[in-house]
Amino acid sequence: MKRYAPLLTLLAVAVLGVALLTITSVSNPANRNAADSAAPNAPAPSAAPAAPERAPAAAPAVAERAYAGRSAGNEVTVAIAVKDGRAVAYVCDGKKIEAWLEGTLQGERLTLQGRDGASIEATASEAQSFGIVTAAGGRSWPFAAKGVSSPAGLYEGRATRGVTARIGWVVEDDGRVTGVVNRNGVTDTAPALDPDNPGAVTIDGVPVAVTALDGDAQVVAR
Amino acid sequence: MTSPFDVPGPDTRTSRAAERRAANNGLIVAFVVGALVAVTLGVYGQLHAPTGYGVSLAGFPGGRAAKSALATGTLILAVVQILSAMVMYGRFPGWNPPWIGTLHRWSGRGAMLLSAPIAVHCLYAFGLQSYDTRVLIHSLVGCFLYGAFATKMLVLQRPKSPGWALPLLGGAVFTALVTMWLTSSLHFYATAA
């Protein structure tokens, strides 16, 4: 037994790994396997890690899609919309933090920028988007966003009553809505949005014009 | 053990050469298996659509805090491993207790077993990711870690490996583990508000 100790150690770790993988896979409620992830990078090398090859300004991996999700510690929600290589995004925490971003999708690489240093660096495929979101002011978090279909996604609202109020909502796949309203630079929690009935939103007694955004929209002031 | 009259005859010479060849073959096999392990993990991570399992519930399952705690435990055991290796190789002159080998082996086993749930979660939820340098390094070195570990176990299994093999492999596994911790747990602890 002792003679085979190293081999048994290796086997023990391998068996544990496979067992855990099986348990995880079986208990996954969605249990979606398969689905194609596009553009593969270089596979992991055995010795010296090599830099992966980047697809040069490539055709976007996804033509048109919306994503909604949150950061790892539930600090912020993120909604992204891509269309033909262009992308827009909204980040908010439902209270004070918000940012509008615009950018591009090249291959699987999603890059967006907003005011005051807000940015998103992510990868995007048909099923999800993973990356890092940085809010204005520099705080950043890793996030995961699922590919979603209407009514989930990214919404913008505008209303004017003296002051123009601009609202952004992130509607997630499970129905949760998180939004922030910006009145002349002052941010606050947004009024509730029912994505199945967007026309019914009011703020300060004034009806809000709500639009579901796609990747083509212009959200950052020129 | 040899005397001047002990000229190695043709039989002894060829059998020693054969022994060396067998040892070299064993070494090659060990490295090839390790490479296959690393590549398999990488390919799995690349092809398996990351489920972000739990992304629809509350962000990430298991919690980065839980994984970081496990990973820090792994790191501590790895440090015990490298220190005990140093003792075994005489780096602490005058001190080489008989139980140091047992400590070395069990701290190593503990570290790798503790790392398994973290690795499975990372691979299953995220796969191989490249959206950020830190994450890319983590993904690649993670594959390398288990390949190096497999090679080290296989080399240990063979009785006659060259003197450089174990320190090299042990050092590689330790370096990989530390890199994994730096690119994940440290980042988590440093950026968690």
Side-chain angles (χ1 to χ4, degrees):
Chain A
M1 186 75 157
K2 205 168 165 197
R3 177 158 146 54
Y4 288 106
L7 205 54
L8 289 175
T9 304
L10 181 58
L11 245 47
V13 174
V15 166
L16 180 62
V18 169
L20 289 167
L21 191 63
T22 312
I23 293 170
T24 312
S25 155
V26 161
S27 68
N28 182 0
N31 207 27
R32 281 167 303 143
N33 277 329
D36 14 63
S37 16
N41 293 315
S46 57
E53 43 185 63
R54 299 266 229 103
V62 180
E64 186 167 353
R65 199 85 169 106
Y67 305 88
R70 22 187 81 217
S71 62
N74 289 334
E75 296 95 352
V76 292
T77 55
V78 178
I80 305 172
V82 301
K83 185 170 175 185
D84 299 326
R86 298 179 55 185
V88 303
Y90 185 67
V91 178
C92 77
D93 68 345
K95 294 173 216 154
K96 286 259 164 232
I97 303 175
E98 64 138 28
W100 289 97
L101 304 103
E102 270 186 34
T104 58
L105 174 64
Q106 291 184 342
E108 276 202 330
R109 222 163 167 84
L110 196 53
T111 328
L112 298 103
Q113 274 88 32
R115 284 235 202 88
D116 299 324
S119 70
I120 287 181
E121 285 282 334
T123 53
S125 64
E126 195 64 38
Q128 64 268 306
S129 169
F130 284 108
I132 296 191
V133 54
T134 308
R139 295 198 60 196
S140 62
W141 308 271
F143 73 90
K146 273 170 73 173
V148 295
S149 345
S150 187
L154 167 53
Y155 290 79
E156 183 185 21
R158 285 183 186 272
T160 309
R161 188 205 161 107
V163 173
T164 304
R166 186 188 188 193
I167 311 174
W169 289 279
V170 173
V171 180
E172 292 174 80
D173 209 24
D174 55 9
R176 280 182 298 189
V177 180
T178 319
V180 161
V181 55
N182 189 325
R183 296 183 188 83
N184 245 4
V186 178
T187 53
D188 204 349
T189 308
L193 165 72
D194 176 6
D196 294 318
N197 192 7
V201 185
T202 62
I203 188 168
D204 304 331
V206 172
V208 178
V210 176
T211 29
L213 295 184
D214 61 24
D216 252 347
Q218 260 196 16
V219 295
V220 177
R222 297 284 182 269
Chain B
M1 283 311 177
T2 52
S3 82
F5 306 105
D6 248 307
V7 179
D11 287 338
T12 342
R13 236 184 278 128
T14 45
S15 77
R16 237 188 257 142
E19 251 178 35
R20 234 192 342 266
R21 249 200 314 280
N24 284 343
N25 287 343
L27 209 59
I28 292 170
V29 167
F31 275 91
V32 166
V33 170
L36 284 174
V37 168
V39 169
T40 304
L41 288 175
V43 169
Y44 171 79
Q46 189 58 42
L47 294 182
H48 161 78
T51 59
Y53 173 8
V55 95
S56 57
L57 297 177
F60 295 80
R64 296 165 73 206
K67 282 164 66 176
S68 297
L70 277 177
T72 306
T74 307
L75 182 72
I76 292 171
L77 287 170
V79 169
V80 170
Q81 242 227 330
I82 202 100
L83 287 176
S84 53
M86 287 169 65
V87 172
M88 293 190 320
Y89 275 75
R91 293 289 183 237
F92 294 94
W95 193 56
N96 196 343
W99 46 262
I100 203 77
T102 312
L103 177 67
H104 179 85
R105 283 189 298 276
W106 282 101
S107 61
R109 284 176 193 139
M112 294 311 292
L113 289 171
L114 212 57
S115 75
I118 311 172
V120 166
H121 175 274
C122 265
L123 265 176
Y124 191 74
F126 307 123
L128 209 79
Q129 287 297 329
S130 59
Y131 59 79
D132 182 45
T133 313
R134 171 187 70 84
V135 163
L136 179 66
I137 292 175
H138 189 86
S139 303
L140 295 177
V141 174
C143 300
F144 174 74
L145 168 66
Y146 288 98
F149 168 68
T151 302
K152 186 177 178 216
M153 292 299 104
L154 291 174
V155 165
L156 278 169
Q157 193 56 53
R158 309 210 110 254
K160 287 188 196 315
S161 40
W164 53 261
L166 276 180
L168 176 75
L169 290 166
V173 172
F174 178 70
T175 307
L177 255 165
V178 172
T179 308
M180 295 305 280
W181 188 85
L182 289 174
T183 52
S184 56
S185 308
L186 180 65
H187 177 261
F188 169 71
Y189 291 135
T191 58

